[in-house]
Amino acid sequence: MTLQFQTDFQPKAQQTIIIPVSQDQGQVADAPLKTISQLVGQQEDTLFRSFKAGSKEVLSIPNGDQLYVLLGLGDHVNFSKTLHAFQHLASKHSHLFTTKTTLYWAATEGNDLFGLLSEAAVNGLWQGSYHLGRYKTSNGYTNIVQQDDFELNIIIPEEQLTAAKEYCQRGLVIAQAQTEVMALVNAPANFKQPQDLAAWAKASAEKYGYKATIWNKDQITKAGMHALLAVNLGSPEPPVFIVLEYQGPNRNGTQPKVGLVGKGVTFDTGGLSIKPSANMHYMKSDMGGAAAVLGTMEAAARLKLPVHLVAAIPSTDNSVDALAVKPSDVISSYSGKSIEVIDTDAEGRLILADGLSYIIREHAPQVVIDLATLTGSSVRTFGYLAAALFSNDDQLAHHLEQAGRQTGERVWRLPIWEEYGDDMKSDVADIKNFSGRPVAGAITAAKFLEFFTDNHPSWAHLDIAGTAFGDTPYGKGKAATGYGIRLLIQFLMSVTQE
C-alpha cells in the first residue's frame, strides 16, 4: 500500500471512492445525505431507503466509470468503530477496490477527523486485508490492499495535511506490525518453535535498527532461569530467552525507560495437568503476549519513538513426557525464590517470573509491563472485549486505561489486594503457582507475578487471554487479533509527551 494525499477532491476514471458515513440517531443526517446525493447522482429519498449508515454497512453505487462505496460508521463515531468498519470493508468487500482507491471524508462528523479517524481507516484497511490460508497448497492469494501497486489517495484539507500524513503513516506501520505477529500467533505448533520466535526477533531487529540478543539453553541454564527450564523439561525443543533493546532519539533531555515482558509459550498442552482436547488446538496462541511485545518493539523502532525500550521474552512449549515437571515438584527461579508447582497448566506465570526478575534486576526500567494469555478466569470475567489490568501504580494504570479508550484495545483494572496473596502461600516453598481454588484466578495469578517484581514501584500486568485470540473477519474459527500493539504504542506516545 502506498499512501497519497490531496487537498481537493478530483474524481478520476475507473476509480473506487470510499465515503465513510456516520449516523445521527440511527439514520443518515440530512447534510451528509445531500452531499452523497450530489456525489453519486442519486435522489436523496432513494439513498435514504437503501442506506442507513449502520456500523459496517456497505453500499456500492456506480456513477459513470467511477464506483462510490458508502461505508457506514454508525452513531458516535470513534477510532475503534472506524477501524472495525474499514477492517470489515477490506476483508469482505475488497473486490470493490481498484488499484487506485480514494478515501473521501465527505459525509462524516468527528473529532480530529483527518487525524485519528484517518489513522484508523488505514490501520483497518491493512489489517482487514490479512489472509489466514498461508499453509494451503493453493495459496497464491494476496488481497488488493497488500499488493505493491495499491494506492490509497486520502483527501485532506490543506491546513491538516501535515498532521494527517503522520497519523496515517503511523496507522500503516502499526497495522503492518500487527499482521506480521498475527501470522506468528496463527502458525501451527509444528511451524512455530521457540527458535522461530527468536529468528523473527533477530530479523526484525536487523531490519529496523534495534538490538536482539538470543540466549540458548546453555546460557539460560548458566543464568539460573530454573522456572523457564522446568516448564521446558517435557519438550524435545530447547527454550530460548529473547532480549530486545531499542533506544530512540532523545527529546527534551529526557527519555523514559520502559521494560516489556511477554509470555512466549508456543504451544500449551497443560503438561501433566493436561488440558481437555476440545479446544487444545487453539493453544498455539499461547504466545500472544510475546507477539504483542515483538510487534511493539518493531513498531516503536519504525516510528522512532523517543523512548528507551527493553524487552524479555522467555519462550518454550509446555509438553508432556517422562521428564516433565510434576505437580508437587519444587523448583527454583532466576530470582532465587522457590516455587511449589501445584498445576503444570499454570506454566505461563512460571516463565514470566524469570522474565520479570531479569528485566527488573538487569535493566532497571522505570516502568515494567508484562503481557500474557494467562488465565481462563480473565476470559470468564470480560469475555473477548477487554484485557484484565493489574497494577501497583495508579498513574500507570490510568495511562493504560486512557490508551485503551483511545485505541479501542480496552483494559479494565482488577484489584491486587494483599489478602489475595494468602491464597498463594505454600507450606513447602516460598510461593505456589496455583491457588487450588476455583475463584479469583486472574487475580491470584497476578499476585504470583507480583512476588517476582522485587517491589518495583511501577509495574502492570495485562492478562490478554480473551483479547489476543478470538473471532475475526478472516476465517470461520478463532484467530489472532493483533491486540496489545496499538495499546502499547499509544501508551508509549503518552509517556513521552509528558
Side-chain angles (χ1 to χ4, degrees):
M1 179 195 287
T2 302
L3 299 178
Q4 300 291 336
F5 299 88
Q6 277 182 229
T7 56
D8 60 333
F9 178 54
Q10 298 176 349
K12 298 179 181 178
Q14 297 181 342
Q15 192 173 70
T16 295
I17 300 156
I18 304 170
I19 302 178
V21 189
S22 57
Q23 281 185 332
D24 181 14
Q25 297 182 349
Q27 61 186 29
V28 184
D30 290 341
L33 196 63
K34 184 176 181 178
T35 301
I36 297 167
S37 173
Q38 293 171 346
L39 285 170
V40 304
Q42 287 196 8
Q43 295 295 322
E44 291 181 34
D45 59 343
T46 303
L47 282 171
F48 187 81
R49 289 195 301 270
S50 57
F51 183 72
K52 302 299 182 185
S55 180
K56 304 180 187 177
E57 184 181 353
V58 176
L59 177 66
S60 58
I61 305 174
N63 185 15
D65 57 0
Q66 295 150 357
L67 181 66
Y68 287 86
V69 176
L70 307 185
L71 176 62
L73 302 181
D75 257 321
H76 309 296
V77 176
N78 58 25
F79 185 99
S80 180
K81 286 185 177 181
T82 304
L83 184 147
H84 288 124
F86 276 88
Q87 188 184 57
H88 173 81
L89 180 66
S91 180
K92 303 300 184 186
H93 301 278
S94 63
H95 61 282
L96 300 175
F97 296 174
T98 52
T99 53
K100 293 186 184 299
T101 293
T102 293
L103 171 60
Y104 184 28
W105 297 96
T108 304
E109 298 291 336
N111 294 327
D112 201 8
L113 177 64
F114 300 107
L116 279 179
L117 296 190
S118 293
E119 177 185 348
V122 171
N123 187 293
L125 284 175
W126 185 272
Q127 200 177 2
S129 66
Y130 176 75
H131 179 51
L132 268 172
R134 63 186 299 187
Y135 300 102
K136 293 183 177 182
T137 54
S138 59
N139 179 35
Y141 171 79
T142 301
N143 188 299
I144 188 172
V145 174
Q146 293 201 15
Q147 292 175 8
D148 292 339
D149 60 349
F150 180 77
E151 181 181 296
L152 182 67
N153 187 33
I154 305 171
I155 311 301
I156 297 291
E158 187 169 0
E159 67 274 11
Q160 300 185 46
L161 184 61
T162 301
K165 284 182 177 180
E166 182 180 346
Y167 277 113
C168 291
Q169 186 58 37
R170 183 172 69 216
L172 182 57
V173 166
I174 292 173
Q176 288 173 339
Q178 287 173 312
T179 53
E180 284 186 39
V181 300
M182 282 160 59
L184 277 179
V185 176
N186 289 325
N190 58 323
F191 283 86
K192 180 176 59 190
Q193 305 298 346
Q195 292 75 18
D196 296 313
L197 298 190
W200 191 98
K202 189 172 182 180
S204 174
E206 290 175 354
K207 185 174 182 180
Y208 295 113
Y210 61 100
K211 184 179 179 182
T213 303
I214 311 301
W215 293 12
N216 60 28
K217 187 174 183 178
D218 288 342
Q219 292 168 303
I220 291 168
T221 303
K222 186 176 180 180
M225 294 189 169
H226 301 292
L228 173 57
L229 291 167
V231 175
N232 182 250
L233 281 173
S235 174
E237 299 294 333
V240 299
F241 190 73
I242 303 167
V243 182
L244 307 173
E245 185 168 12
Y246 158 74
Q247 191 149 8
N250 197 336
R251 296 182 188 173
N252 303 321
T254 61
Q255 190 180 61
K257 187 174 185 180
V258 177
L260 303 175
V261 183
K263 173 187 171 183
V265 175
T266 54
F267 192 84
D268 182 18
T269 68
L272 289 177
S273 307
I274 197 161
K275 292 179 179 289
S277 63
N279 290 313
M280 194 191 289
H281 59 291
Y282 286 142
M283 287 300 102
K284 64 182 182 179
S285 69
D286 212 18
M287 36 65 69
V293 171
L294 289 171
T296 299
M297 293 295 297
E298 178 170 294
R302 290 185 63 184
L303 294 170
K304 296 180 170 54
L305 297 185
V307 64
H308 186 181
L309 276 182
V310 289
I313 298 172
S315 184
T316 178
D317 62 354
N318 185 24
S319 295
V320 183
D321 76 358
L323 299 177
V325 67
K326 301 177 291 299
S328 81
D329 282 358
V330 173
I331 62 174
S332 187
S333 63
Y334 183 81
S335 68
K337 297 170 181 174
S338 61
I339 304 167
E340 180 185 11
V341 177
I342 301 298
D343 189 337
T344 65
D345 193 23
E347 86 300 331
R349 64 198 70 180
L350 295 179
I351 70 172
L352 285 173
D354 280 350
L356 282 167
S357 293
Y358 168 82
I359 209 79
I360 290 168
R361 293 184 178 188
E362 305 304 327
H363 292 275
Q366 295 162 281
V367 172
V368 182
I369 303 170
D370 72 78
L371 299 93
T373 50
L374 205 64
T375 69
S377 174
S378 68
V379 184
R380 290 187 291 274
T381 302
F382 297 121
Y384 303 98
L385 297 179
L389 164 65
F390 304 86
S391 183
N392 61 355
D393 181 347
D394 291 342
Q395 185 178 23
L396 172 57
H398 170 73
H399 278 306
L400 289 169
E401 288 168 335
Q402 189 174 48
R405 285 191 293 270
Q406 290 172 322
T407 62
E409 293 194 342
R410 290 177 285 189
V411 300
W412 194 265
R413 192 177 184 185
L414 292 176
I416 46 173
W417 299 324
E418 184 179 348
E419 291 84 351
Y420 285 113
D422 292 340
D423 288 342
M424 306 306 290
K425 291 180 179 178
S426 167
D427 291 332
V428 299
D430 295 327
I431 194 170
K432 58 185 178 182
N433 79 326
F434 180 61
S435 70
R437 303 179 64 197
V439 295
I443 297 174
T444 52
K447 292 302 290 184
F448 176 88
L449 295 177
E450 184 184 38
F451 192 71
F452 295 90
T453 61
D454 287 347
N455 295 313
H456 192 284
S458 187
W459 159 74
H461 161 57
L462 292 173
D463 189 335
I464 62 173
T467 52
F469 198 77
D471 295 329
T472 69
Y474 319 120
K476 297 177 181 178
K478 294 185 185 301
T481 65
Y483 179 95
I485 299 170
R486 211 163 43 237
L487 173 73
L488 289 177
I489 292 296
Q490 183 64 42
F491 165 76
L492 292 171
M493 290 193 304
S494 71
V495 298
T496 58
Q497 291 167 1
E498 288 189 333

